[in-house]
Amino acid sequence: MNARPLMFFGTTNLDLCFNVERLPTPGESLMGALTRHPGGKGANQAVAAARLGLKPHFYTYLGDDDAGQSLLKSLMEAGVRTEAITVCAGEVSGLAVVMVADDGSNMIVIDPGANSKVGPDMIESATKFIERDAIVVAEMGMPIPALNRLFEMKREKGFELIFNPAPVRPGLPSAAWRNVDFVTPNQTEAFELTGIEVCDFESAARAAEKLLDLGPGAALITLGAQGAYYADCTGSFSLRAFPVKVVDTTAAGDAFNGAFAASLAQRLPLKEAVRKALAVAALCVTRRGAQSSMPTAQAVDEFLQ
Ligand code: ADP
């Protein structure tokens, strides 16, 4: 059976990555090696899905600078469909400074640049790329009015909506949550949305219950090295993360979300889709970088054998 159409909405950044022995403390200067990589949550998620063999559309807003050109090129090379993307005259592309320590932990600061200029009208015109029976994935880096318009378009277009609420920001109208089919926070985002500290599956269950009260159809919370917890109004389950040697946790959540959406698009049953997302995210943390660390379908199949 054919895969369902898939479209991602979100941010694209050029990542300036510093590899450091450990993360700096306030006031401290450290030496680190600098590399440049394409990144941004939306772009990372779309690339994760494309590596798994999907042909996802992606909507993002790029500056008309050198960074924008190279970001567009790398998306195309990864197999992401870029027809919906807007390149805007006079804007600079999003830029992120990422520090990755030897233990794999990271710190990130972002200048959103063009990403912050997306308006509701642009979202409306981009939704013409959403095909029938599509799965749409959104993250919270886009301006809230644009995000809200996308959620409203669900009523007209009838797509299935996965919402990665990262980074959590205020302003989303409470009615918007009812348009979400799956909300997929990590532990920090689940805490920010519910006030419940998520440290294990038991506390994830309590947070998921509170998330469901907001209005989405299902809550899928990722818990880093512990795995993921799923709940909807009919039941719940948890799955453990695959044990791997961690090199760099950058984009683990993006890998998880991109792979979860891709797996649903490939019509995998729900629990299998979560298991595959855990495998893709586990492989992602064994490699350095964001998009460069997204595994191919073949690597995932071999890992799961
Ligand atoms: P984020 O990257 O958004 O902070 P998480 O830290 O929850 O999100 O990680 C997302 C997913 O990545 C987890 O559910 C898990 O599948 C995988 N993952 C993250 N860290 C590890 C790890 N140390 N070992 C194995 N899998 C991991």
Side-chain angles (χ1 to χ4, degrees):
M1 212 190 290
N2 283 346
R4 293 169 61 186
L6 182 57
M7 184 158 185
F8 292 84
F9 286 76
T11 54
T12 306
N13 296 321
L14 177 65
D15 288 352
L16 303 180
C17 296
F18 287 92
N19 288 115
V20 285
E21 208 178 318
R22 59 187 170 74
L23 298 178
T25 52
E28 190 181 23
S29 300
L30 292 178
M31 300 296 223
L34 174 66
T35 48
R36 289 157 199 265
H37 305 281
K41 267 186 194 307
N44 295 346
Q45 292 178 153
V47 168
R51 286 267 161 75
L52 296 174
L54 280 287
K55 295 262 171 279
H57 274 290
F58 180 39
Y59 177 77
T60 195
Y61 205 45
L62 294 171
D64 65 346
D65 48 4
D66 290 348
Q69 286 305 314
S70 74
L71 291 166
L72 190 63
K73 187 162 165 265
S74 73
L75 285 165
M76 284 169 160
E77 283 170 0
V80 174
R81 297 175 67 179
T82 57
E83 301 97 290
I85 292 178
T86 317
V87 177
C88 189
E91 297 293 345
V92 292
S93 298
L95 195 72
V97 173
V98 181
M99 277 175 273
V100 181
D102 284 351
D103 67 359
S105 57
N106 65 44
M107 272 171 114
I108 304 174
V109 184
I110 298 171
D111 174 356
N115 294 301
S116 66
K117 302 291 191 303
V118 181
D121 49 330
M122 298 171 192
I123 292 296
E124 227 166 90
S125 42
T127 56
K128 70 169 181 272
F129 292 93
I130 299 177
E131 296 160 63
R132 258 193 81 223
D133 193 32
I135 295 173
V136 168
V137 186
E139 44 99 347
M140 221 171 188
M142 278 197 308
I144 299 297
L147 196 61
N148 189 38
R149 188 71 194 110
L150 176 63
F151 286 16
E152 285 170 2
M153 296 295 286
K154 180 194 158 86
R155 299 250 165 100
E156 289 154 52
K157 297 271 180 180
F159 49 81
E160 195 165 23
L161 180 62
I162 298 172
F163 176 39
N164 176 8
V168 171
R169 291 182 305 147
L172 194 64
S174 56
W177 286 97
R178 287 198 287 277
N179 294 326
V180 174
D181 294 291
F182 300 91
V183 61
T184 59
N186 67 10
Q187 287 159 281
T188 311
E189 293 138 13
F191 170 70
E192 286 169 331
L193 290 168
T194 66
I196 294 172
E197 294 259 13
V198 176
C199 51
D200 52 20
F201 290 142
E202 193 265 326
S203 47
R206 283 185 284 118
E209 207 170 300
K210 255 193 136 169
L211 284 168
L212 292 179
D213 286 344
L214 293 173
L220 175 56
I221 303 176
T222 62
L223 293 95
Q226 294 181 74
Y229 181 89
Y230 174 89
D232 62 25
C233 64
T234 65
S236 65
F237 63 84
S238 56
L239 289 178
R240 297 215 163 274
F242 291 91
V244 288
K245 187 174 177 311
V246 180
V247 173
D248 176 4
T249 58
T250 307
D254 303 339
F256 183 94
N257 276 279
F260 176 62
S263 303
L264 290 185
Q266 288 169 326
R267 303 176 196 276
L268 288 191
L270 179 68
K271 207 166 183 174
E272 272 181 53
V274 176
R275 183 167 175 266
K276 191 155 174 189
L278 289 169
V280 169
L283 284 170
C284 166
V285 303
T286 64
R287 301 178 194 161
R288 281 200 192 283
Q291 292 171 20
S292 54
S293 66
M294 301 301 173
T296 60
Q298 192 187 339
V300 180
D301 288 346
E302 282 166 13
F303 180 74
L304 285 173
Q305 265 167 21

